[in-house]
Amino acid sequence: MLRIHFTGVDLARVRMAGRPDALWETILSFHRLRDRRDARLFGEWRTETRSRLNSETRTLGMLIPSRGYFPDFLTPVEGQYGWDVGLDALRGIRPERMRRELQLLGAGAPVTPRLRDFMEGGTKQLPRLMGELRAYHRAAVEPYWTHIQAQIEAERAARGRALLDGGADELLASLPPMLRWRAPVLECDYPVDRDVRLRGRGLLLQPSFFCRRTAVTLHDPELPPVLVYPAAAQLASAPGSGEATRPAEEQRQRTLGKLVGHTRSVVLRAIGDGATTSELARRAGVSLASASQHACVMREAGLVTTLRRGNAVLHTVTPLGAALLKGGAVAS
């Protein structure tokens, strides 16, 4: 079990990440690629990703075991500001830190010749590692980025509501079931027994699409504290798994055709930064049943994401829906 200990100052400094972290998503997706579980969610994504992987991933496989520790330097905190910023931070890793974390990777088991060669090469190995990371990211994550963004935005909207309703205490209590807030400690299901003391530094909550079952945190307690946890997308499935998440173009065009008209335009705009079905009905001036039906059609078209929160559902506009409202292209 992981136990994260908060002070009053830490509670005041809890914050939600502003976007999905491309490096965390890339590393965690590599776990999902080799994991046979969750076939319903990730089966088609695995097939599609493997068909696009023309480059080797031996270095990634060596640095990212199927379970257990992987080096913190693969997911620098700067990654929260974007893929390129994260890669720049990785490129600038200090040799002594890289060596120390690679030694941790080899602890407790015989060091393979390939890992020994990599460790001896130090930062000279970074170009090869970054080349593999880029190629893998293009195959496994980049084609689904709009969908990933939509799920994280839905998660942020739900947690933002909890924060507004009851502050940081309510936010921490609203997290998915593998995270349990027992003030002043956040308990997490975890493969090892560990205590993390924030010591006034606060905590960055980073929802992740490819994180499953257990939350993840950095090994080094001196690094800025971050907790990566599974986004609670109960009403959505993984990218590449059918019409519910990434409709074929023909299906999308058929569904988008249903959207033409004043009422649905009003409903889409009424969602704003997030709305429950009852709030949506009130804002748009339609019945509850009508609001639910309109939201369902827009979800099928990829314009809205729906996240269950307690007995209610929270609708948020996806990047595609926002682009439609603005009359522009989807931001990358």
Side-chain angles (χ1 to χ4, degrees):
M1 180 180 292
L2 173 68
R3 292 172 293 273
I4 302 177
H5 299 261
F6 288 74
T7 66
V9 174
D10 294 313
L11 279 174
R13 293 179 176 175
V14 172
R15 59 202 187 282
M16 288 289 298
R19 58 183 63 81
D21 186 308
L23 276 166
W24 272 109
E25 296 295 350
T26 300
I27 300 303
L28 293 174
S29 76
F30 195 67
H31 283 286
R32 302 288 77 76
L33 186 69
R34 296 172 296 173
D35 188 350
R36 295 183 179 181
R37 294 175 294 181
D38 295 322
R40 184 183 65 82
L41 289 175
F42 294 110
E44 190 171 338
W45 167 80
R46 290 185 184 112
T47 300
E48 292 179 357
T49 295
R50 286 172 181 147
S51 71
R52 284 191 291 265
L53 277 174
N54 299 318
S55 303
E56 69 168 53
T57 57
R58 287 187 298 174
T59 301
L60 291 181
M62 177 180 64
L63 298 182
I64 309 169
S66 297
R67 61 183 61 186
Y69 172 81
F70 58 85
D72 290 338
F73 67 72
L74 292 174
T75 53
V77 67
E78 292 86 353
Q80 65 182 293
Y81 303 115
W83 172 252
D84 291 333
V85 178
L87 283 187
D88 284 343
L90 176 55
R91 187 182 295 110
I93 187 74
R94 299 190 311 276
E96 58 273 19
R97 176 183 168 188
M98 185 173 178
R99 187 181 311 111
R100 181 174 67 250
E101 294 185 7
L102 289 174
Q103 287 171 347
L104 283 173
L105 182 64
V111 176
T112 65
R114 292 194 71 249
L115 179 56
R116 183 180 299 108
D117 291 343
F118 193 89
M119 292 170 65
E120 291 174 355
T123 53
K124 294 179 181 178
Q125 302 281 11
L126 284 175
R128 176 156 61 101
L129 169 60
M130 294 178 69
E132 283 193 25
L133 266 176
R134 287 192 186 95
Y136 176 76
H137 175 80
R138 284 195 296 268
V141 177
E142 192 173 83
Y144 311 101
W145 193 245
T146 297
H147 177 73
I148 293 168
Q149 284 180 306
Q151 299 306 308
I152 302 309
E153 281 299 318
E155 176 71 18
R156 278 173 47 79
R159 303 307 153 218
R161 288 243 165 169
L163 182 65
L164 289 173
D165 289 345
D169 192 74
E170 180 67 21
L171 166 62
L172 294 170
S174 77
L175 293 171
M178 77 285 297
L179 304 168
R180 296 171 294 279
W181 175 236
R182 295 180 173 132
V185 179
L186 181 64
E187 296 180 350
C188 313
D189 295 337
Y190 212 63
V192 297
D193 196 56
R194 183 180 173 196
D195 287 273
V196 173
R197 301 186 185 279
L198 299 177
R199 306 195 310 271
R201 295 173 296 169
L203 180 68
L204 174 65
L205 294 170
Q206 176 67 66
S208 165
F209 185 81
F210 284 107
C211 184
R212 308 297 295 177
R213 294 184 182 85
T214 63
V216 186
T217 191
L218 298 171
H219 181 273
D220 188 345
E222 298 307 314
L223 290 172
V226 57
L227 184 68
V228 181
Y229 71 92
Q234 296 100 325
L235 299 187
S237 50
S241 59
E243 290 183 357
T245 60
R246 197 167 54 87
E249 188 60 28
E250 181 181 352
Q251 168 66 17
R252 174 162 285 167
Q253 291 302 322
R254 288 200 302 268
T255 310
L256 282 173
K258 301 176 187 178
L259 292 172
V260 177
H262 174 72
T263 302
R264 287 200 177 112
S265 174
V266 170
V267 169
L268 186 59
R269 292 182 184 280
I271 292 175
D273 293 330
T276 64
T277 304
S278 58
E279 289 171 339
L280 183 57
R282 184 172 65 253
R283 293 176 190 176
V286 298
S287 69
L288 194 63
S290 179
S292 179
Q293 192 269 337
H294 288 312
C296 179
V297 171
M298 290 188 288
R299 184 168 62 250
E300 291 174 358
L303 304 179
V304 166
T305 295
T306 302
L307 179 69
R308 184 167 295 282
R309 182 174 178 236
N311 294 324
V313 293
L314 183 66
H315 309 289
T316 58
V317 178
T318 68
L320 178 63
L324 180 65
L325 287 172
K326 295 176 182 177
V330 181
S332 60

